[in-house]
Amino acid sequence: MVTEKKIKLISFVIAACLLSLLNSANSFSLTTRTNNGAFFTPRNGAADLPQQALTTIYAGGFAWEDPEEQQADLENPFNKGSGDDSLLKVDPARLLGPRLQGTNLYFVGIMGSGKSVVGDLLARRMGTYNFLDTDKIIETATGMSIREIFDTEGENAFRDLESQVLDQVHAYVRCVVSTGGGSVCRPVNWSKLQTGIVVWIDVDPVVIMKRIQGTDRPLLQTENPLETLKQIWNDRKSLYEQADVRIEATESMTEHDMADAVLRAVHEFI
């Protein structure tokens, strides 16, 4: 069972895994914030050197400005075109980072909706943002699969770990974060999610089941997985609706189509 001592140890491991993932993701340095709100930049694993103060600009609920990012054009690029996105001279994803000014993007949605695939794709296109998957961080920190955690420790223990990861992730900026499908169920998690922009990837359960047939997802190990998924979606719908941006993904949309839809919607939101 998960003891208090074990929880503290896992929390430490989560922090180490997170810092390792972020340091290895890109060559540029990371910026985070301390408990008193001051910013510092970990370099080569050292997180104890305060940096000079930054001019703060408020965006998406988070005050931050990256002096290294281009600030020349902060307007919505979709407002300049003729309606044909192919005529845009620059990939709008490259302009999203400067407009977000460090604000994180948090992807929420039911399991199998494509949060990880779309989030990773968007972060790669943006260039200056890291992608993080909270489920993967938990698996790395515990050395167990999500299914194993559910089987041996129970769902509540997994939700505790999920909250720990969000608590530590939200201290960083310039991240696209894919969260677990049930992360929206705990009010404490919303205090972290709302430090950034929350994007709901909304996919019909029938479409999801076509994608994940034969899944080993713990909550779908029932006699009728589709009905279970529908019930989960219905139970969480009002929570997902609290997101800043909603993307209604259809069966015909590819991950690239979904990333394009997120990109446009976030540009329009900010």
Side-chain angles (χ1 to χ4, degrees):
M1 297 299 291
V2 179
T3 63
E4 183 177 351
K5 182 177 180 180
K6 188 174 182 181
I7 288 175
K8 290 181 178 178
L9 176 60
I10 292 176
S11 181
F12 175 79
V13 175
I14 287 173
C17 289
L18 180 58
L19 188 58
S20 176
L21 285 169
L22 287 170
N23 273 329
S24 63
N26 288 292
S27 59
F28 56 78
S29 59
L30 305 171
T31 304
T32 184
R33 54 181 175 178
T34 61
N35 289 334
N36 64 5
F39 291 93
F40 66 87
T41 302
R43 300 182 188 277
N44 299 323
D48 56 352
L49 298 178
Q51 304 299 304
Q52 67 183 46
L54 302 177
T55 301
T56 58
I57 295 180
Y58 290 88
F62 189 74
W64 187 77
E65 180 180 11
D66 181 358
E68 297 179 359
E69 285 191 328
Q70 283 286 345
Q71 301 290 330
D73 187 353
L74 296 180
E75 297 181 10
N76 182 354
F78 292 103
N79 289 341
K80 297 183 176 182
S82 61
D84 184 353
D85 294 353
S86 65
L87 299 179
L88 295 173
K89 295 181 179 180
V90 180
D91 182 358
R94 293 291 177 174
L95 301 177
L96 186 56
R99 295 196 72 217
L100 287 172
Q101 299 173 352
T103 303
N104 290 340
L105 297 178
Y106 292 96
F107 281 59
V108 301
I110 201 168
M111 65 186 85
S113 58
K115 301 183 297 290
S116 296
V117 174
V118 176
D120 185 32
L121 181 60
L122 182 62
R124 291 176 185 275
R125 285 179 60 184
M126 291 174 68
T128 57
Y129 267 55
N130 293 295
F131 172 71
L132 295 172
D133 184 323
T134 59
D135 282 354
K136 295 299 182 184
I137 294 173
I138 291 172
E139 290 182 330
T140 301
T142 61
M144 303 168 67
S145 68
I146 302 301
R147 175 71 182 274
E148 289 172 331
I149 296 173
F150 267 76
D151 289 345
T152 61
E153 306 291 352
E155 183 176 357
N156 284 336
F158 172 75
R159 298 302 174 198
D160 289 341
L161 292 171
E162 196 170 53
S163 294
Q164 286 187 50
V165 171
L166 280 174
D167 188 51
Q168 298 191 42
V169 166
H170 99 287
Y172 292 88
V173 293
R174 289 195 303 195
C175 293
V176 177
V177 184
S178 171
T179 68
S183 60
V184 297
C185 297
R186 288 193 172 184
V188 67
N189 292 340
W190 279 99
S191 66
K192 312 302 187 304
L193 296 172
Q194 290 175 337
T195 63
I197 294 175
V198 183
V199 179
W200 174 22
I201 305 296
D202 183 16
V203 185
D204 187 279
V206 174
V207 175
I208 291 178
M209 284 307 303
K210 291 180 180 180
R211 297 176 178 175
I212 62 173
Q213 286 183 349
T215 180
D216 64 348
R217 295 172 188 264
L219 296 180
L220 296 184
Q221 304 310 303
T222 62
E223 292 184 1
N224 192 329
L226 176 57
E227 288 305 313
T228 301
L229 190 62
K230 288 181 178 179
Q231 185 60 53
I232 293 172
W233 187 90
N234 285 326
D235 291 344
R236 297 175 182 172
K237 181 183 177 184
S238 63
L239 298 172
Y240 291 139
E241 287 175 338
Q242 296 179 40
D244 301 302
V245 173
R246 177 184 182 183
I247 304 300
E248 296 185 68
T250 64
E251 185 173 5
S252 63
M253 292 175 70
T254 67
E255 63 269 26
H256 295 281
D257 294 331
M258 292 167 67
D260 285 340
V262 171
L263 183 60
R264 176 183 283 275
V266 174
H267 267 300
E268 291 177 350
F269 176 76
I270 60 178

